[in-house]
Structures are given as structure tokens and as C-alpha cells.
Amino acid sequence: MDADNEAKGKVSDQAMQNPQALAALQDKIDSVSHSASIMDSLPKSVKRRVNALKNLQVNSTHIEAKFYKEVHELERKYSALYQPLFDKRRNIVSGEVEPTDEECEWQSDHEDEAALAEDLKKKAAIEEKTEDANEEKPKGVPEFWLTIFRSVDMLSDMLQEHDEPILKHLQDIKVIFSGPDQPMSFTLEFRFEPNEYFTNTVLTKVYKMKSEPDAEDPFSFEGPEIIDCDGCEIDWHKGKDVTVKTIKKKQKHKGRGTARVITKQVPNDSFFNFFNPIKVSPDRELDEDSEYTLATDFEIGHFFRERIVPRAVLYFTGEALEDDESFEEEELDEGEEENNSVFCLK
């Protein structure tokens, strides 16, 4: 009994120290109290019917879960159709393939060529040839992915100066969906050309998902959610690991008064910590900082999958950033927020 009271006391202390947790707990209590008060006021015959309706709702939730599983299958199917286009994108970015003149034609929003006079067209063509003759020919699209990392706030927040030379070697990012007979997940593959920093040609991050109602709380189901992720080991060349740094500390001997300098390695901020995520354990409760870090990691993985990989060229040019910024956040009235909600991964 004392152990139960002690556990309850710890929960109460944690709630009082965390306003968000306290608010969520209060909302849940209010919801339960409201539901209980309505049910208590109903005649017994009506309560029976309401219970039948709730069972119907549970069945509906299980059908919704099947719907999302089929959506995942559709994503996997269409991923195979997109992939040849993404492969060609990779080949153009890396310089393995030179697109044809026809493939390079693009009508700019800022330049209407049909409106140019014929003599200006000729003059422009001559100037272009002169520039081409003097210009150093770069291979592919230099720093394609690094430019995207620098431009997108969510990624630039993780990016450190010592990461940038490594990301210049990043040639492609792929999304691979789990197969039909596998647990729901998706894998991000970061493909690198040979470089001086590590021996890996591919770094992976696997995001595990769940699309099933909770047996104890089926009405909380809102669609698939990421529940865990696995990174990979990076085989760094000696002295090239940017996820650690070496520091020197002076130690003084208490008895003799002599001093010595010792060196040790400590963690260092780097994008490449992305491949060494916090592990979720059912036996260990995460602290608030770890929960925030893990939630941010899940959000980044989802953003790579839904936005960065499918629309990479538009993030490179900045056009997708303009689209993202055009959606201004507005404060919604209570009730309006629910009506305007859209499907997203937690």
C-alpha cells in the first residue's frame, strides 16, 4: 500500500513540475468526468444502447486502422513508380548523366522569351557562348543536398560547420517502405560517394510505425504513428569522427602537488548524431529532454519522407520554402481546430 501511495506521489510531483503534463492530465480528468456525468444521468435502457454505440465505434476504429495499412501499401506501390524519376535525379545531380537540351527547356516565370526581340535573342546567345567558353564546367549540381540542408530550418538547426564538407559528398536520399509481410516502417537511405570521412556508402535510419488502436484506449487512435527508430554504425576513418571531440583537462595530484594533462573524448554536436538516436525501452521512462529529442527526431524523419525527398529540387531552388511560408498559422477557436485537422504522423 505504501508503495502505491509513493508511486502516486511521484506522479503528482512530476505533473506539478510539468505544466503541459498537468494540463493534459486535467483535460483527461475533465473528459472522463464529463462522460461519467452524462452516463450517470441516463436511464439504464439508454446506457445499454450507448454501450452498443461505443462498441460500434471500436469496430469503426479497427476499420480505420485497416484503411491506413492499405494507404501504406499504396505508398509502397507508387514508390516503385516514382523511383526511376528519383534515380534520374540522382544521376543528374551527381553528374553521371547529362540531360538533353529538350529535358532542360523550362519556361521561367520571370522571363518571357517570346517577348524578346530577335536581335536581343541573338545577342544573348552570343554572350552565353562567350560565358560558356570562359566558365569552369562544374560536374552535375554541386552541393545539391547540402544547399537543401542549409535552407530548411528543421535541418539547418542540426547542421554544424564541420558537417558541411561531409555532406558535399551526399549524392542521394531514398525512402524505402516496408514490404507487405513486414511490420509497418520506412527507411531513409543516405547515399554517399567515396570520401575521406567514413567507409560507408549508405547510412540508414529506420522508423518503426504502429497503425493499431490501443486495446486499453481504442478511441485515442488517430492514424499511424512512429513509435521507434534505429540508426546505423558509421565507420569513421581515424581522426574524422565529427560526433566526438577531444578535450584536454589538467589534473593536480593532491599529495605531491604535481599536475598532468589528460585528454578524453566527449560528445560533439553534429548532424551525424541523427544516426545514433535515443532508444525507446518499455522498462525505462524517458526524461522530458529525451522525449522532446525523440519527438523531434520522429518529426524530422517524417519531413524527409513526405517533403524533402519527393520535392528536393524545389527545396534546392527555394520554391518549396516559399510554399511552406505561405501557410500562416492562425489561432483557431475551440472546436474549429478539430474540424480543420488533417492526417499526419505523430
Side-chain angles (χ1 to χ4, degrees):
M1 193 69 174
D2 291 341
D4 290 343
N5 290 334
E6 185 180 347
K8 288 176 183 175
K10 286 182 179 178
V11 171
S12 300
D13 290 343
Q14 289 173 357
M16 292 304 294
Q17 293 170 11
N18 187 334
Q20 290 85 1
L22 185 60
L25 183 61
Q26 187 61 51
D27 287 345
K28 192 163 187 177
I29 291 171
D30 291 344
S31 175
V32 171
S33 301
H34 179 67
S35 174
S37 64
I38 290 178
M39 290 296 286
D40 289 343
S41 67
L42 296 176
K44 188 174 180 180
S45 60
V46 177
K47 282 183 185 178
R48 286 182 69 256
R49 295 168 198 140
V50 171
N51 287 336
L53 294 178
K54 290 175 75 172
N55 283 323
L56 289 176
Q57 187 63 45
V58 170
N59 292 338
S60 173
T61 302
H62 284 285
I63 292 173
E64 185 182 5
K66 288 182 66 177
F67 163 77
Y68 284 120
K69 287 179 180 179
E70 291 197 21
V71 168
H72 184 75
E73 286 303 304
L74 274 176
E75 286 183 305
R76 189 176 63 82
K77 173 185 173 182
Y78 276 87
S79 175
L81 301 179
Y82 287 127
Q83 198 53 53
L85 303 177
F86 294 157
D87 289 343
K88 189 157 189 177
R89 178 180 71 188
R90 179 201 63 217
N91 292 337
I92 292 174
V93 166
S94 66
E96 293 177 32
V97 168
E98 185 62 34
T100 65
D101 290 342
E102 184 179 355
E103 289 173 328
C104 292
E105 286 182 10
W106 184 260
Q107 182 66 42
S108 171
D109 292 334
H110 306 289
E111 182 184 340
D112 188 356
E113 293 183 3
L116 289 175
E118 191 64 32
D119 56 336
L120 290 178
K121 280 188 178 181
K122 290 178 181 178
K123 184 179 178 183
I126 293 170
E127 288 177 354
E128 190 176 337
K129 285 182 181 178
T130 305
E131 287 176 6
D132 285 348
N134 299 329
E135 184 184 337
E136 187 178 328
K137 301 276 187 184
K139 183 182 178 184
V141 184
E143 301 184 10
F144 179 80
W145 291 102
L146 175 56
T147 300
I148 294 172
F149 272 70
R150 287 172 177 156
S151 302
V152 177
D153 289 344
M154 190 182 292
L155 304 183
S156 64
D157 287 346
M158 298 191 294
L159 189 64
Q160 305 297 320
E161 188 176 346
H162 47 253
D163 295 325
E164 296 196 5
I166 308 175
L167 288 171
K168 288 180 180 180
H169 297 285
L170 179 59
Q171 293 186 312
D172 195 24
I173 305 175
K174 293 179 69 173
V175 179
I176 298 175
F177 293 93
S178 55
D181 299 323
Q182 298 173 325
M184 186 184 289
S185 69
F186 67 92
T187 302
L188 299 176
E189 287 190 351
F190 294 74
R191 296 179 169 268
F192 289 82
E193 64 184 353
N195 60 79
E196 62 184 284
Y197 298 96
F198 45 71
T199 60
N200 312 65
T201 56
V202 181
L203 301 181
T204 59
K205 186 76 170 281
V206 180
Y207 286 91
K208 300 172 185 178
M209 301 166 67
K210 174 186 173 185
S211 184
E212 297 171 359
D214 190 293
E216 295 181 1
D217 186 16
F219 301 137
S220 66
F221 181 72
E222 295 180 353
E225 59 178 320
I226 298 172
I227 55 172
D228 196 8
C229 58
D230 291 328
C232 68
E233 185 175 345
I234 303 177
D235 299 319
W236 296 98
H237 287 302
K238 187 175 181 181
K240 297 294 185 179
D241 186 350
V242 295
T243 64
V244 295
K245 60 183 176 182
T246 302
I247 61 171
K248 293 183 178 181
K249 293 186 72 175
K250 186 179 283 188
Q251 284 186 339
K252 192 172 183 179
H253 194 280
K254 291 181 180 178
R256 295 193 295 268
T258 56
R260 65 174 182 173
V261 176
I262 63 167
T263 61
K264 66 175 185 176
Q265 287 191 327
V266 296
N268 193 28
D269 289 339
S270 168
F271 162 72
F272 290 92
N273 290 321
F274 179 70
F275 299 98
N276 185 27
I278 294 172
K279 289 307 298 171
V280 177
S281 171
D283 304 325
R284 181 173 64 91
E285 189 173 333
L286 296 176
D287 59 38
E288 191 175 335
D289 288 343
S290 296
E291 282 186 354
Y292 175 78
T293 300
L294 200 60
T296 302
D297 189 319
F298 292 173
E299 185 180 359
I300 291 167
H302 182 61
F303 195 73
F304 267 117
R305 163 188 156 165
E306 293 293 318
R307 304 286 293 172
I308 297 293
V309 173
R311 297 160 59 85
V313 67
L314 301 182
Y315 281 98
F316 176 80
T317 63
E319 292 163 87
L321 298 173
E322 294 170 8
D323 289 345
D324 290 346
E325 289 168 3
S326 67
F327 290 97
E328 295 182 2
E329 291 186 5
E330 295 182 8
E331 200 169 314
L332 298 175
D333 293 333
E334 191 175 348
E336 187 181 356
E337 183 176 354
E338 185 176 349
N339 293 334
N340 286 280
S341 64
V342 294
F343 162 69
C344 65
L345 292 177
K346 297 183 204 171

